[in-house]
Amino acid sequence: MFAKFFLVIVLVQLACAQQPFDVLLEFNSNFSTLAIQTENEITELYHFNADMVREFNRELLLELGRMVPEMREADSSFQQQIAAADGVDDECREYVQELRELFLLFQNWDIQDCAYFAHEDLEDDSINRFLPYAITFLSENTRSITQVVESFTRNNAVTNLDTFVEELDGEWEYYQTLAVSFGDFLFDEILAHADVADRVYLELVECRETAVNLQQSDQEYIMSYLDTNCEQ
């Protein structure tokens, strides 16, 4: 394979002495230049996409960061209520503490569920929205670097140079179109993250409020045992 590649390079170098074959070197230079420019632009969009995803995850983490301290503070206050309750014997108070620890498991599961569903939705969007298309564009763009050599394998440059050049003209138009279109397409993919992130964030806020309300309901239920000294 490499022997064929170097043979083609030698043929190109020898042909450069003849004016008609200068166009092949020009095509090769143009393809390479366009490929480098396109790759640089895609790389910039990669960084932009990563920055967007990091920011969305940061916002979700901040919301979780508000949720956990709020529920921890509520539990700490609840423990004080249990300890300060009047007319409650030690056996009932111990039972209420056991109930509290049991319901803490449920409350922790609520927190984990909020984090899990937010992560699943955002991860799916982060992986499947931008990256597959960017990888496809990069792969196709890289192919353009060796387009002239590839076209050599399908054409007779000695006896039918016009057909060879006609193919390269078509490929050049294709890669130019690709270079123009990919930027807008990938940028739109990045912007589309925002719609998903907004939805996930609102769902997380709702999930947090539900978890906090459930914790309050749990505590009210447990307090009913203290009110009757566990005689229910």
Side-chain angles (χ1 to χ4, degrees), residues 6 16 24 45 47 60 62 65 87 101 104 108 112 117 122 126 134 143 152 170 179 196 202 204-205 209 225:
F6 286 118
C16 284
L24 301 183
L45 289 173
H47 292 314
L60 294 182
L62 288 176
E101 291 177 3
L104 274 178
N108 187 62
Q112 290 177 335
F117 289 116
L122 198 58
S126 300
R143 189 174 70 86
F152 252 111
V196 176
L202 291 175
L204 180 57
V205 171
E209 293 174 349
Y225 282 86

Side-chain angles (χ1 to χ4, degrees), residues 200-215:
V200 172
Y201 181 78
L202 291 175
E203 290 175 353
L204 180 57
V205 171
E206 182 179 352
C207 188
R208 177 182 65 81
E209 293 174 349
T210 299
V212 170
N213 290 335
L214 287 174
Q215 182 189 41

Side-chain angles (χ1 to χ4, degrees), residues 169-212:
D169 276 331
E171 294 293 343
W172 175 244
E173 182 178 354
Y174 165 73
Y175 287 116
Q176 281 186 309
T177 302
L178 182 70
V180 171
S181 63
F182 87 89
D184 291 339
F185 182 86
L186 291 181
F187 190 72
D188 288 342
E189 284 289 294
I190 293 173
L191 293 182
H193 284 314
D195 292 336
V196 176
D198 287 344
R199 174 181 59 79
V200 172
Y201 181 78
L202 291 175
E203 290 175 353
L204 180 57
V205 171
E206 182 179 352
C207 188
R208 177 182 65 81
E209 293 174 349
T210 299
V212 170

Side-chain angles (χ1 to χ4, degrees), residues 57 60 113-125 200:
N57 276 278
L60 294 182
D113 284 345
C114 290
Y116 174 79
F117 289 116
H119 169 71
E120 283 291 297
D121 286 347
L122 198 58
E123 182 181 47
D124 179 69
D125 179 73
V200 172

Side-chain angles (χ1 to χ4, degrees), residues 101-146:
E101 291 177 3
L102 174 62
F103 278 89
L104 274 178
L105 290 176
F106 302 149
Q107 294 159 17
N108 187 62
W109 290 343
D110 289 338
I111 295 174
Q112 290 177 335
D113 284 345
C114 290
Y116 174 79
F117 289 116
H119 169 71
E120 283 291 297
D121 286 347
L122 198 58
E123 182 181 47
D124 179 69
D125 179 73
S126 300
I127 293 176
N128 296 320
R129 178 170 298 283
F130 171 87
L131 293 179
Y133 303 109
I135 291 172
T136 299
F137 279 127
L138 275 175
S139 176
E140 190 68 357
N141 180 63
T142 300
R143 189 174 70 86
S144 69
I145 298 176
T146 59

